[in-house]
């Protein structure tokens, strides 16, 4: 799982999908906390994401500079309501550029980041449930190795899912027993 998450993380980093890369490198570090390459790549992905947000902030048109903090906050809230979290963070960053002590902008920028991370985690858990369902269907028809592949995919997305972990253990036993019977 470490190698696979590293590969996905590197691919996402190359494709400038920094939030996905961050999730993959975090998974690697959850499994292997001393993995220096994952740690370095995680920092790189985080820096790239910050740079991307900052570039969005500084790529504003001349007319946007003149907008008031209230107008920018309204725009940021709208983006937040539409679940466009990077855009929302960029808007709140603009307000903070104007007034670094703006409490509401600080709070909403943090909330935008939290919601974005939560959405990514939720999406991973939903994906894991889908793989678990496929695995159970494969178990029902006796395709245990294929089911194990689905379980592995589920664990990549939600490594702490106890139902998936339990099925993985059962499948490992079934597959092992099946190989023993084949050898006899």
């Amino acid at each position: 799982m470490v190698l696979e998450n590293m590969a996905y993380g590197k691919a996402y980093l190359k494709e400038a999908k920094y939030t996905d890369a961050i999730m993959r490198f975090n998974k690697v570090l959850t499994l292997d906390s001393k993995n220096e390459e994952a740690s370095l790549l995680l920092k790189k992905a985080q820096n790239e994401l910050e740079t991307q947000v900052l570039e969005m902030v500084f790529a504003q048109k001349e007319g946007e500079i003149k907008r008031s903090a209230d107008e920018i906050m309204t725009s940021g809230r709208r983006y937040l309501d539409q679940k466009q979290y990077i855009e929302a963070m960029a808007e709140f960053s603009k307000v903070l550029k104007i007034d670094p002590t703006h409490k509401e902008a600080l709070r909403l920028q943090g909330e935008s980041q939290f919601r974005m991370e939560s959405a990514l985690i939720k999406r991973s858990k939903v994906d894991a449930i889908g793989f678990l369902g496929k695995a159970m269907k494969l178990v029902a028809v006796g395709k245990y190795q294929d089911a194990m592949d689905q379980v592995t995919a589920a664990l990549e997305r939600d490594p702490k899912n106890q139902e998936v972990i339990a099925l993985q253990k059962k499948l490992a036993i079934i597959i092992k027993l099946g190989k023993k019977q084949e050898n006899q």
Side-chain angles (χ1 to χ4, degrees):
M1 271 173 58
V2 170
L3 294 176
E4 192 168 328
N5 279 309
M6 282 295 291
Y8 276 112
K10 288 176 182 178
Y12 288 137
L13 191 59
K14 191 174 184 177
E15 297 170 5
K17 294 180 179 180
Y18 303 120
T19 52
D20 291 333
I22 289 168
M23 281 186 52
R24 289 297 181 155
F25 295 131
N26 276 328
K27 285 180 185 179
V28 170
L29 291 170
T30 299
L31 298 168
D32 178 11
S33 62
K34 295 181 182 180
N35 189 313
E36 291 181 14
E37 184 181 12
S39 182
L40 290 172
L41 291 173
L42 172 64
K43 288 176 185 173
K44 181 177 180 177
Q46 290 170 331
N47 288 337
E48 292 294 332
L49 179 60
E50 288 176 15
T51 300
Q52 187 180 58
V53 171
L54 289 174
E55 285 173 357
M56 289 176 71
V57 170
F58 293 115
Q60 56 193 339
K61 296 176 186 172
E62 187 71 31
E64 288 180 343
I65 295 171
K66 297 179 182 177
R67 289 192 303 165
S68 71
D70 289 340
E71 290 172 325
I72 299 170
M73 286 297 294
T74 299
S75 173
R77 285 186 196 98
R78 191 173 323 114
Y79 281 128
L80 185 58
D81 290 342
Q82 295 170 352
K83 299 179 181 179
Q84 295 176 328
Y85 303 119
I86 291 176
E87 293 83 353
M89 288 189 293
E91 291 295 271
F92 300 132
S93 290
K94 290 175 189 175
V95 172
L96 292 170
K97 184 178 175 187
I98 296 167
D99 177 8
T101 63
H102 196 289
K103 291 179 182 176
E104 184 71 1
L106 285 167
R107 183 185 71 76
L108 290 174
Q109 187 176 46
E111 184 177 329
S112 299
Q113 184 168 352
F114 175 79
R115 285 189 189 181
M116 179 177 66
E117 290 170 0
S118 296
L120 290 170
I121 291 168
K122 184 177 180 180
R123 185 177 75 201
S124 288
K125 290 184 181 215
V126 168
D127 289 348
I129 291 169
F131 284 110
L132 177 61
K134 290 176 187 174
M136 291 179 157
K137 288 178 183 176
L138 289 165
V139 167
V141 295
K143 294 184 177 183
Y144 303 116
Q145 188 56 54
D146 291 342
M148 183 62 93
D149 294 341
Q150 295 297 314
V151 165
T152 300
L155 286 173
E156 287 173 4
R157 282 138 182 97
D158 188 6
K160 295 180 182 177
N161 185 313
Q162 293 303 309
E163 191 174 358
V164 177
I165 292 169
L167 182 56
Q168 181 187 40
K169 289 176 184 176
K170 290 175 186 174
L171 282 170
I173 292 168
I174 291 169
I175 291 168
K176 188 176 181 179
L177 289 173
K179 286 181 181 178
K180 280 185 180 180
Q181 288 178 352
E182 287 175 9
N183 293 333
Q184 291 180 354

